[in-house]
Amino acid sequence: IVDNFTRSALEALHASSVTLMLFQDESRELIIRSMAGEISGWKMKTGDLVDISNYGLNELVSGVGPFRAGDPDQMTPATLSIAPPGSQSVLVDRLSSRGKLLGLIAVSSTRRGAFSEPGQMELFVDITNQAAVAIDNAEMYKRLEETFWSTIRSLAEAIDAKDSYTRGHSDRVADYAEALARKLELEDEMLSAVRCAGYLHDTGKIGIPDAILLKPGKLTEKEYSEIMSHPILSHKIIEPVDFPYEVKPLVRHHHERIDGSGYPDGLVGDEIPLGARIIDIASND
């Protein structure tokens, strides 16, 4: 996302370079997240921390919003610290969304008096605002995704906890399934789907009585029939959930067999989703 905005700013403003920097939440250090253009003589690169130790945050962002430095003599030391050497004109603005300061963007040119054409400042502000909203939304999505995976794992651990013999089984299945999908060079969406299904494939076992699930001896036909019902129970449990990936068929059909001898629906060959076949292989740990 950020690379698109740095490239857009570079082209739209006819700049020499664009540097987009974000604050680390924990340390409030400024890290370079994206760079575009010719930045000769500057040893900084994406991922590097910008040394602002000599300047307070207020000094760094004061007057920024946006700020145009048309002459190097007019640039403050703080501004110079985030601009490549040799910059003759610099535009700097805050990246902020919903009242939160996310970082800074610096657009530089080796020409004096650059960025003074009509409409350029307005264009810069527009690009900056769009970048800030996109970055904020991306971070929000990341937090939601982390919460999603944390919830899925917690549910899987609750199921595994019923049986000390299989504790950690769901974690292993999720890891193996994702590894197999990567080996097959499947798309990212499928990687996430098989990982999620790996965690949830045995959810239905929560509805199987412990007397059957933990029975040390041989199961009766009726007891085995109850065990075989767990993919259907798993499917029923997750049915109301609106997953971002195609998870439900993988959970329901992970015990199907190519020859039709599997359960619960006796699917044959290609009727079985590829992801379900991957879960089947991964679950034989």
Coordinates of all heavy atoms in Angstrom, one line a residue, residues 19-115:
T19 N 10.0 9.9 0.7 CA 10.3 9.0 1.8 C 9.1 9.0 2.8 O 8.7 10.1 3.2 CB 11.6 9.5 2.6 OG1 12.6 9.6 1.7 CG2 11.9 8.4 3.6
L20 N 8.6 7.9 3.0 CA 7.4 7.7 3.9 C 7.9 7.0 5.2 O 8.5 5.9 5.1 CB 6.3 6.9 3.3 CG 4.9 6.9 4.0 CD1 3.8 6.9 3.0 CD2 4.8 5.8 5.0
M21 N 7.7 7.7 6.3 CA 8.2 7.2 7.6 C 7.0 7.0 8.6 O 6.1 7.8 8.6 CB 9.2 8.2 8.2 CG 10.4 8.4 7.3 SD 11.2 10.0 7.5 CE 10.1 11.0 6.4
L22 N 7.0 5.9 9.3 CA 6.0 5.7 10.3 C 6.6 5.5 11.7 O 7.7 5.0 11.9 CB 5.2 4.4 10.0 CG 4.5 4.4 8.6 CD1 3.8 3.0 8.4 CD2 3.5 5.5 8.6
F23 N 5.8 5.9 12.7 CA 6.2 5.8 14.1 C 6.0 4.4 14.6 O 4.9 3.8 14.3 CB 5.5 6.8 15.0 CG 6.0 8.2 14.8 CD1 5.2 9.2 14.2 CD2 7.3 8.6 15.3 CE1 5.7 10.5 14.0 CE2 7.7 9.9 15.2 CZ 6.9 10.8 14.5
Q24 N 6.9 3.8 15.3 CA 6.7 2.6 16.0 C 5.9 2.8 17.2 O 6.2 3.7 18.0 CB 8.0 1.9 16.4 CG 9.0 1.7 15.2 CD 8.6 0.5 14.4 OE1 7.5 0.4 13.7 NE2 9.4 -0.6 14.4
D25 N 4.8 2.1 17.4 CA 3.9 2.4 18.5 C 4.6 2.3 19.9 O 4.4 3.1 20.8 CB 2.7 1.4 18.5 CG 1.7 1.8 17.4 OD1 1.7 3.0 17.1 OD2 0.9 0.9 17.0
E26 N 5.4 1.3 20.0 CA 6.0 1.1 21.4 C 7.1 2.1 21.7 O 7.1 2.7 22.7 CB 6.6 -0.3 21.4 CG 5.6 -1.5 21.2 CD 5.3 -1.8 19.8 OE1 6.0 -1.1 18.9 OE2 4.4 -2.6 19.5
S27 N 8.0 2.3 20.7 CA 9.2 3.2 21.0 C 9.0 4.6 20.5 O 9.8 5.5 20.9 CB 10.4 2.5 20.4 OG 10.2 2.5 19.0
R28 N 8.1 4.8 19.7 CA 7.9 6.1 19.0 C 9.1 6.5 18.1 O 9.4 7.6 17.8 CB 7.6 7.2 20.0 CG 6.4 7.1 20.8 CD 5.2 6.9 20.0 NE 4.8 8.1 19.3 CZ 3.8 8.2 18.4 NH1 3.3 7.1 17.9 NH2 3.5 9.4 17.8
E29 N 9.9 5.4 17.7 CA 10.9 5.7 16.8 C 10.4 5.8 15.4 O 9.3 5.2 15.1 CB 11.9 4.5 16.9 CG 12.7 4.4 18.2 CD 13.7 3.3 18.2 OE1 13.2 2.1 18.0 OE2 14.9 3.5 18.4
L30 N 11.0 6.5 14.6 CA 10.6 6.8 13.2 C 11.3 5.8 12.3 O 12.5 5.8 12.2 CB 10.9 8.2 12.8 CG 10.1 8.8 11.7 CD1 8.6 8.8 11.9 CD2 10.5 10.3 11.4
I31 N 10.6 5.0 11.6 CA 11.2 4.0 10.7 C 10.7 4.2 9.3 O 9.6 4.6 9.0 CB 10.8 2.5 11.1 CG1 11.5 1.5 10.3 CG2 9.3 2.3 11.0 CD1 11.4 0.1 10.8
I32 N 11.7 4.1 8.3 CA 11.4 4.3 6.9 C 10.6 3.0 6.4 O 11.1 1.9 6.5 CB 12.6 4.5 6.1 CG1 13.3 5.8 6.5 CG2 12.3 4.5 4.6 CD1 14.7 6.0 5.8
R33 N 9.4 3.3 5.9 CA 8.6 2.2 5.4 C 8.6 2.1 3.9 O 8.3 1.0 3.3 CB 7.2 2.3 5.9 CG 7.1 2.0 7.4 CD 7.5 0.6 7.8 NE 6.7 -0.4 7.1 CZ 5.5 -0.8 7.5 NH1 5.0 -0.4 8.7 NH2 4.8 -1.7 6.9
S34 N 8.8 3.2 3.2 CA 8.8 3.2 1.7 C 9.6 4.4 1.2 O 9.6 5.4 1.8 CB 7.4 3.3 1.2 OG 7.3 3.2 -0.2
M35 N 10.4 4.1 0.1 CA 11.1 5.1 -0.6 C 11.0 5.0 -2.1 O 10.8 3.9 -2.6 CB 12.6 5.0 -0.2 CG 12.9 5.0 1.3 SD 14.6 4.7 1.7 CE 15.4 6.3 1.4
A36 N 11.0 6.1 -2.8 CA 10.9 6.1 -4.2 C 11.8 7.2 -4.8 O 12.0 8.3 -4.1 CB 9.4 6.3 -4.7
G37 N 12.3 7.0 -6.0 CA 13.1 8.1 -6.6 C 14.6 7.9 -6.4 O 15.1 6.9 -5.9
E38 N 15.3 8.9 -6.9 CA 16.8 8.9 -6.8 C 17.2 9.6 -5.5 O 16.9 10.7 -5.2 CB 17.4 9.7 -8.0 CG 17.1 9.0 -9.3 CD 17.8 7.7 -9.5 OE1 18.9 7.5 -8.9 OE2 17.3 6.8 -10.2
I39 N 17.8 8.8 -4.6 CA 18.3 9.3 -3.4 C 19.8 9.1 -3.2 O 20.2 8.4 -2.3 CB 17.5 8.7 -2.2 CG1 16.0 8.7 -2.5 CG2 17.7 9.4 -0.9 CD1 15.1 8.0 -1.4
S40 N 20.5 9.6 -4.2 CA 22.0 9.4 -4.2 C 22.6 10.1 -3.0 O 22.2 11.2 -2.6 CB 22.6 9.9 -5.5 OG 22.3 11.3 -5.6
G41 N 23.6 9.4 -2.4 CA 24.3 10.0 -1.3 C 23.7 9.8 0.0 O 24.2 10.1 1.1
W42 N 22.5 9.2 0.0 CA 21.8 8.9 1.3 C 21.9 7.4 1.6 O 21.4 6.6 0.7 CB 20.3 9.4 1.2 CG 19.8 9.8 2.6 CD1 20.5 10.3 3.6 CD2 18.4 9.8 2.9 NE1 19.6 10.6 4.6 CE2 18.3 10.3 4.3 CE3 17.2 9.4 2.3 CZ2 17.2 10.4 5.0 CZ3 16.0 9.5 3.0 CH2 16.0 10.0 4.3
K43 N 22.4 7.1 2.7 CA 22.6 5.7 3.0 C 21.4 5.0 3.6 O 21.4 3.8 3.9 CB 23.8 5.5 3.9 CG 25.2 6.0 3.3 CD 26.3 5.8 4.2 CE 27.6 6.2 3.6 NZ 28.8 6.0 4.5
M44 N 20.4 5.8 3.9 CA 19.2 5.2 4.5 C 18.4 4.4 3.5 O 18.5 4.6 2.3 CB 18.2 6.4 4.9 CG 18.9 7.3 5.9 SD 19.4 6.5 7.5 CE 17.8 6.2 8.2
K45 N 17.8 3.3 4.0 CA 17.0 2.4 3.2 C 15.7 2.0 3.9 O 15.6 2.2 5.1 CB 17.8 1.2 2.7 CG 18.3 0.4 3.9 CD 19.2 -0.8 3.4 CE 19.7 -1.7 4.5 NZ 20.5 -1.0 5.5
T46 N 14.8 1.4 3.2 CA 13.6 0.9 3.8 C 13.9 0.0 5.0 O 14.7 -0.9 4.9 CB 12.7 0.2 2.8 OG1 12.4 1.0 1.7 CG2 11.4 -0.3 3.4
G47 N 13.2 0.2 6.1 CA 13.5 -0.5 7.3 C 14.4 0.1 8.3 O 14.5 -0.3 9.5
D48 N 15.1 1.2 7.9 CA 16.1 1.8 8.7 C 15.3 2.8 9.7 O 14.3 3.4 9.3 CB 17.1 2.6 8.0 CG 18.2 1.7 7.3 OD1 18.2 0.5 7.7 OD2 19.0 2.2 6.5
L49 N 15.9 3.0 10.9 CA 15.4 4.0 11.8 C 16.0 5.3 11.4 O 17.2 5.4 11.1 CB 15.7 3.6 13.2 CG 15.1 2.4 13.8 CD1 15.6 2.1 15.2 CD2 13.6 2.6 13.9
V50 N 15.2 6.4 11.4 CA 15.6 7.7 11.2 C 16.1 8.3 12.5 O 15.3 8.3 13.5 CB 14.5 8.6 10.6 CG1 15.0 10.0 10.4 CG2 14.0 8.0 9.3
D51 N 17.3 8.8 12.6 CA 17.9 9.3 13.8 C 17.3 10.7 14.2 O 17.6 11.7 13.6 CB 19.4 9.4 13.7 CG 20.0 9.8 15.1 OD1 19.3 9.9 16.1 OD2 21.2 10.1 15.1
I52 N 16.3 10.7 15.1 CA 15.7 11.9 15.5 C 16.0 12.2 17.0 O 15.3 12.9 17.7 CB 14.2 11.9 15.3 CG1 13.6 10.7 16.0 CG2 13.9 11.9 13.8 CD1 12.0 10.8 15.9
S53 N 17.1 11.5 17.5 CA 17.4 11.6 18.9 C 17.7 13.0 19.3 O 17.6 13.4 20.5 CB 18.6 10.7 19.2 OG 19.7 11.0 18.4
N54 N 18.2 13.9 18.4 CA 18.5 15.2 18.8 C 17.3 16.2 18.8 O 17.5 17.4 19.1 CB 19.6 15.8 17.8 CG 20.9 15.1 18.0 OD1 21.3 14.6 19.1 ND2 21.6 14.9 16.9
Y55 N 16.2 15.6 18.4 CA 15.0 16.5 18.3 C 13.8 15.8 19.0 O 13.6 14.6 18.9 CB 14.6 16.7 16.8 CG 15.8 17.0 15.9 CD1 16.3 16.0 15.1 CD2 16.4 18.3 15.9 CE1 17.4 16.3 14.3 CE2 17.5 18.5 15.2 CZ 18.0 17.6 14.3 OH 19.1 17.8 13.6
G56 N 13.1 16.6 19.7 CA 11.9 16.1 20.3 C 10.8 16.0 19.2 O 10.9 16.5 18.2
L57 N 9.8 15.2 19.6 CA 8.7 14.9 18.6 C 8.0 16.2 18.2 O 7.7 16.4 17.1 CB 7.7 13.9 19.2 CG 6.6 13.5 18.3 CD1 7.1 12.8 17.0 CD2 5.7 12.5 19.1
N58 N 7.8 17.1 19.2 CA 7.1 18.3 18.9 C 7.9 19.2 18.0 O 7.4 19.8 17.1 CB 6.9 19.1 20.2 CG 5.8 18.4 21.1 OD1 5.0 17.7 20.6 ND2 5.9 18.7 22.4
E59 N 9.2 19.2 18.1 CA 10.1 20.0 17.2 C 10.1 19.4 15.8 O 10.0 20.1 14.8 CB 11.5 20.0 17.7 CG 12.5 20.8 16.9 CD 13.9 20.8 17.3 OE1 14.2 20.2 18.4 OE2 14.8 21.4 16.7
L60 N 10.0 18.1 15.7 CA 10.1 17.4 14.4 C 8.8 17.7 13.6 O 8.9 17.9 12.4 CB 10.2 15.9 14.6 CG 10.5 15.1 13.4 CD1 11.8 15.5 12.7 CD2 10.5 13.6 13.7
V61 N 7.7 17.7 14.3 CA 6.4 17.9 13.6 C 5.8 19.3 13.7 O 4.8 19.6 13.0 CB 5.4 16.9 14.1 CG1 5.9 15.4 13.9 CG2 5.0 17.1 15.5
S62 N 6.4 20.2 14.4 CA 5.9 21.5 14.5 C 6.0 22.2 13.2 O 7.0 22.1 12.5 CB 6.7 22.3 15.6 OG 8.0 22.4 15.2
G63 N 4.9 22.9 12.8 CA 4.9 23.6 11.6 C 4.7 22.7 10.4 O 4.5 23.1 9.3
V64 N 4.6 21.4 10.7 CA 4.4 20.4 9.6 C 2.9 20.2 9.4 O 2.2 19.8 10.4 CB 5.1 19.1 9.9 CG1 4.7 18.0 8.8 CG2 6.6 19.3 10.0
G65 N 2.4 20.4 8.3 CA 0.9 20.2 8.1 C 0.2 21.0 7.1 O -0.8 21.5 7.3
P66 N 0.7 21.1 5.8 CA 2.1 20.7 5.4 C 3.1 21.8 5.5 O 2.7 23.0 5.7 CB 1.8 20.3 3.9 CG 0.7 21.3 3.5 CD -0.1 21.5 4.7
F67 N 4.3 21.5 5.3 CA 5.4 22.5 5.4 C 6.2 22.5 4.1 O 6.6 21.4 3.6 CB 6.3 22.2 6.6 CG 7.5 23.0 6.7 CD1 7.4 24.4 6.9 CD2 8.8 22.5 6.5 CE1 8.6 25.2 7.0 CE2 9.9 23.2 6.6 CZ 9.8 24.6 6.8
R68 N 6.4 23.7 3.5 CA 7.3 23.7 2.3 C 8.6 24.5 2.6 O 8.5 25.6 3.2 CB 6.5 24.5 1.2 CG 7.4 24.7 -0.1 CD 6.8 25.7 -1.1 NE 5.7 25.1 -1.8 CZ 4.5 25.7 -1.8 NH1 4.3 26.8 -1.1 NH2 3.5 25.2 -2.5
A69 N 9.7 23.9 2.3 CA 11.0 24.5 2.5 C 11.5 24.7 1.1 O 12.0 23.8 0.5 CB 11.9 23.7 3.3
G70 N 11.5 25.9 0.6 CA 11.9 26.2 -0.7 C 13.3 26.5 -0.9 O 13.9 26.6 -2.0
D71 N 14.0 26.6 0.2 CA 15.5 27.0 0.2 C 16.1 26.2 1.3 O 15.6 26.2 2.5 CB 15.7 28.5 0.4 CG 17.1 28.9 0.2 OD1 18.0 28.4 0.9 OD2 17.3 29.8 -0.7
P72 N 17.3 25.6 1.1 CA 17.9 24.8 2.2 C 18.2 25.6 3.4 O 18.2 25.1 4.5 CB 19.2 24.3 1.5 CG 18.9 24.3 0.1 CD 18.0 25.5 -0.2
D73 N 18.4 26.9 3.2 CA 18.7 27.8 4.4 C 17.5 28.0 5.3 O 17.6 28.4 6.4 CB 19.2 29.2 3.9 CG 20.5 29.1 3.1 OD1 21.2 28.1 3.4 OD2 20.7 30.0 2.3
Q74 N 16.3 27.7 4.7 CA 15.0 27.9 5.5 C 14.7 26.6 6.2 O 13.7 26.6 7.0 CB 13.9 28.3 4.5 CG 14.1 29.6 3.8 CD 13.0 29.8 2.8 OE1 12.1 29.1 2.7 NE2 13.2 30.9 2.0
M75 N 15.4 25.5 5.9 CA 15.0 24.2 6.6 C 15.6 24.2 8.0 O 16.7 24.5 8.2 CB 15.6 23.1 5.7 CG 15.1 23.0 4.3 SD 15.7 21.5 3.5 CE 15.4 21.9 1.8
T76 N 14.7 23.7 8.9 CA 15.2 23.5 10.3 C 16.1 22.2 10.3 O 16.0 21.4 9.4 CB 14.0 23.3 11.2 OG1 13.3 22.1 10.8 CG2 13.0 24.4 11.1
P77 N 16.9 22.1 11.3 CA 17.7 20.9 11.5 C 16.9 19.6 11.5 O 17.3 18.6 11.0 CB 18.5 21.1 12.8 CG 18.6 22.6 12.9 CD 17.3 23.1 12.3
A78 N 15.7 19.8 12.1 CA 14.8 18.6 12.2 C 14.3 18.2 10.8 O 14.3 17.0 10.4 CB 13.6 18.9 13.1
T79 N 14.0 19.2 10.0 CA 13.6 18.9 8.6 C 14.7 18.3 7.8 O 14.5 17.3 7.0 CB 13.1 20.2 7.9 OG1 12.0 20.8 8.7 CG2 12.6 19.9 6.5
L80 N 15.9 18.8 7.9 CA 17.0 18.3 7.2 C 17.3 16.8 7.6 O 17.8 16.1 6.8 CB 18.3 19.2 7.5 CG 18.3 20.5 6.8 CD1 19.4 21.4 7.3 CD2 18.4 20.3 5.3
S81 N 17.0 16.5 8.8 CA 17.3 15.1 9.3 C 16.4 14.1 8.6 O 16.8 12.9 8.6 CB 17.0 15.0 10.8 OG 15.6 15.0 11.1
I82 N 15.3 14.5 8.0 CA 14.4 13.5 7.3 C 14.4 13.8 5.8 O 13.5 13.2 5.1 CB 13.0 13.5 7.9 CG1 12.4 14.9 7.7 CG2 13.0 13.1 9.3 CD1 10.9 15.0 8.2
A83 N 15.3 14.6 5.3 CA 15.4 14.8 3.8 C 16.8 14.4 3.3 O 17.8 14.5 4.0 CB 15.3 16.3 3.6
P84 N 16.9 13.8 2.1 CA 18.1 13.4 1.6 C 19.1 14.5 1.4 O 18.7 15.7 1.2 CB 17.8 12.8 0.2 CG 16.3 12.5 0.3 CD 15.8 13.5 1.2
P85 N 20.4 14.3 1.5 CA 21.4 15.3 1.3 C 21.3 15.9 -0.2 O 21.0 15.2 -1.1 CB 22.7 14.6 1.5 CG 22.4 13.1 1.2 CD 21.1 12.9 1.7
G86 N 21.5 17.1 -0.3 CA 21.4 17.8 -1.6 C 20.0 18.3 -2.0 O 19.8 18.8 -3.0
S87 N 19.1 18.1 -1.0 CA 17.7 18.5 -1.3 C 17.7 20.1 -1.3 O 18.2 20.7 -0.5 CB 16.8 18.0 -0.2 OG 16.7 16.6 -0.2
Q88 N 17.1 20.6 -2.4 CA 17.0 22.0 -2.5 C 15.5 22.5 -2.2 O 15.3 23.7 -1.9 CB 17.3 22.4 -4.0 CG 18.7 22.1 -4.4 CD 19.8 22.9 -3.5 OE1 19.7 24.1 -3.4 NE2 20.7 22.2 -3.0
S89 N 14.6 21.6 -2.3 CA 13.2 21.9 -2.0 C 12.6 20.7 -1.3 O 12.9 19.6 -1.7 CB 12.4 22.3 -3.2 OG 12.9 23.4 -3.9
V90 N 11.8 20.9 -0.2 CA 11.3 19.8 0.5 C 9.8 20.1 0.9 O 9.5 21.2 1.3 CB 12.1 19.5 1.8 CG1 11.4 18.4 2.6 CG2 13.5 19.2 1.5
L91 N 9.0 19.1 0.7 CA 7.6 19.2 1.3 C 7.5 18.1 2.4 O 7.9 17.0 2.2 CB 6.6 18.9 0.2 CG 6.3 19.9 -0.9 CD1 5.3 19.3 -1.9 CD2 5.8 21.2 -0.3
V92 N 7.0 18.5 3.6 CA 6.9 17.6 4.7 C 5.5 17.7 5.2 O 4.9 18.8 5.3 CB 7.9 17.9 5.8 CG1 7.8 16.8 6.9 CG2 9.3 17.9 5.2
D93 N 4.9 16.6 5.5 CA 3.5 16.6 6.1 C 3.4 15.5 7.1 O 4.0 14.4 7.0 CB 2.5 16.5 5.0 CG 1.1 17.1 5.5 OD1 1.0 17.5 6.7 OD2 0.1 17.1 4.7
R94 N 2.4 15.7 8.0 CA 2.1 14.6 9.0 C 1.2 13.6 8.3 O 0.4 13.9 7.4 CB 1.3 15.2 10.1 CG 1.9 16.3 10.9 CD 0.8 17.0 11.8 NE 1.3 18.1 12.5 CZ 1.5 18.2 13.8 NH1 1.4 17.1 14.5 NH2 2.0 19.3 14.3
L95 N 1.4 12.4 8.7 CA 0.5 11.3 8.3 C -0.4 11.0 9.6 O 0.1 10.5 10.6 CB 1.2 10.0 7.9 CG 2.0 10.1 6.6 CD1 2.9 8.9 6.5 CD2 1.0 10.1 5.4
S96 N -1.6 11.5 9.6 CA -2.5 11.3 10.7 C -3.9 10.9 10.3 O -4.4 11.3 9.2 CB -2.5 12.6 11.6 OG -3.0 13.7 10.8
S97 N -4.5 10.1 11.1 CA -5.9 9.6 10.9 C -6.6 9.4 12.2 O -6.0 8.9 13.1 CB -5.8 8.3 10.1 OG -7.1 7.8 9.8
R98 N -7.8 9.9 12.2 CA -8.6 9.8 13.4 C -7.9 10.4 14.7 O -8.0 9.8 15.8 CB -9.0 8.4 13.7 CG -10.0 7.8 12.6 CD -10.4 6.4 12.9 NE -9.2 5.5 13.0 CZ -9.2 4.4 13.7 NH1 -10.2 4.1 14.5 NH2 -8.1 3.6 13.7
G99 N -7.2 11.5 14.4 CA -6.5 12.2 15.5 C -5.2 11.5 16.0 O -4.6 12.0 16.9
K100 N -4.8 10.4 15.3 CA -3.6 9.7 15.7 C -2.4 10.0 14.7 O -2.6 9.9 13.5 CB -3.8 8.2 15.7 CG -2.6 7.4 16.0 CD -2.9 5.9 15.9 CE -1.7 5.1 16.3 NZ -2.0 3.6 16.1
L101 N -1.3 10.4 15.2 CA -0.1 10.7 14.4 C 0.6 9.4 14.0 O 1.1 8.6 14.9 CB 0.9 11.6 15.1 CG 2.2 12.0 14.4 CD1 1.9 12.7 13.1 CD2 3.1 12.8 15.3
L102 N 0.6 9.1 12.7 CA 1.1 7.8 12.3 C 2.6 7.9 11.8 O 3.3 7.0 11.9 CB 0.3 7.3 11.1 CG -1.2 7.1 11.3 CD1 -1.9 6.7 10.0 CD2 -1.5 6.0 12.4
G103 N 2.9 9.1 11.2 CA 4.3 9.2 10.7 C 4.4 10.5 10.0 O 3.6 11.5 10.1
L104 N 5.4 10.5 9.1 CA 5.7 11.7 8.3 C 6.0 11.3 6.8 O 6.4 10.2 6.6 CB 6.9 12.5 8.8 CG 6.9 13.0 10.2 CD1 8.2 13.6 10.6 CD2 5.8 14.1 10.3
I105 N 5.7 12.2 5.9 CA 6.1 12.0 4.5 C 6.9 13.2 4.1 O 6.5 14.3 4.3 CB 4.9 11.7 3.6 CG1 5.3 11.4 2.2 CG2 3.9 12.9 3.6 CD1 4.2 10.9 1.3
A106 N 8.0 12.9 3.4 CA 8.9 14.0 3.0 C 9.1 13.8 1.5 O 9.5 12.7 1.0 CB 10.3 13.9 3.7
V107 N 8.8 14.8 0.7 CA 9.0 14.9 -0.7 C 10.1 15.9 -1.0 O 10.0 17.0 -0.6 CB 7.7 15.3 -1.5 CG1 7.9 15.3 -3.0 CG2 6.6 14.3 -1.1
S108 N 11.1 15.5 -1.8 CA 12.2 16.4 -2.0 C 12.5 16.5 -3.5 O 12.2 15.7 -4.3 CB 13.5 15.9 -1.3 OG 14.0 14.7 -1.8
S109 N 13.2 17.6 -3.8 CA 13.7 17.9 -5.1 C 15.1 18.5 -5.1 O 15.4 19.2 -4.2 CB 12.7 18.8 -5.9 OG 13.2 19.2 -7.2
T110 N 15.8 18.2 -6.1 CA 17.2 18.8 -6.2 C 17.1 20.2 -6.9 O 18.1 20.9 -7.1 CB 18.1 17.9 -7.0 OG1 17.5 17.6 -8.3 CG2 18.3 16.6 -6.3
R111 N 15.9 20.7 -7.2 CA 15.7 22.0 -7.8 C 15.2 23.0 -6.8 O 14.3 22.7 -6.0 CB 14.6 21.9 -8.9 CG 15.0 21.0 -10.1 CD 13.9 21.0 -11.2 NE 12.7 20.4 -10.7 CZ 11.6 21.1 -10.5 NH1 11.5 22.4 -10.7 NH2 10.5 20.4 -10.1
R112 N 15.8 24.1 -6.8 CA 15.3 25.2 -5.9 C 13.9 25.7 -6.5 O 13.7 25.8 -7.7 CB 16.2 26.4 -5.9 CG 17.5 26.2 -5.1 CD 18.4 27.4 -5.2 NE 19.6 27.2 -4.3 CZ 19.7 27.7 -3.1 NH1 18.7 28.3 -2.5 NH2 20.8 27.5 -2.4
G113 N 13.1 26.0 -5.5 CA 11.8 26.6 -5.9 C 10.8 25.5 -6.5 O 9.8 25.9 -7.1
A114 N 11.1 24.3 -6.3 CA 10.2 23.2 -6.8 C 9.0 23.2 -5.9 O 8.9 23.8 -4.8 CB 10.9 21.9 -6.7
F115 N 7.9 22.6 -6.4 CA 6.6 22.5 -5.7 C 5.9 23.8 -5.5 O 5.1 23.9 -4.6 CB 6.8 21.8 -4.3 CG 7.7 20.6 -4.3 CD1 8.8 20.5 -3.4 CD2 7.5 19.6 -5.3 CE1 9.6 19.4 -3.4 CE2 8.4 18.5 -5.3 CZ 9.4 18.4 -4.4

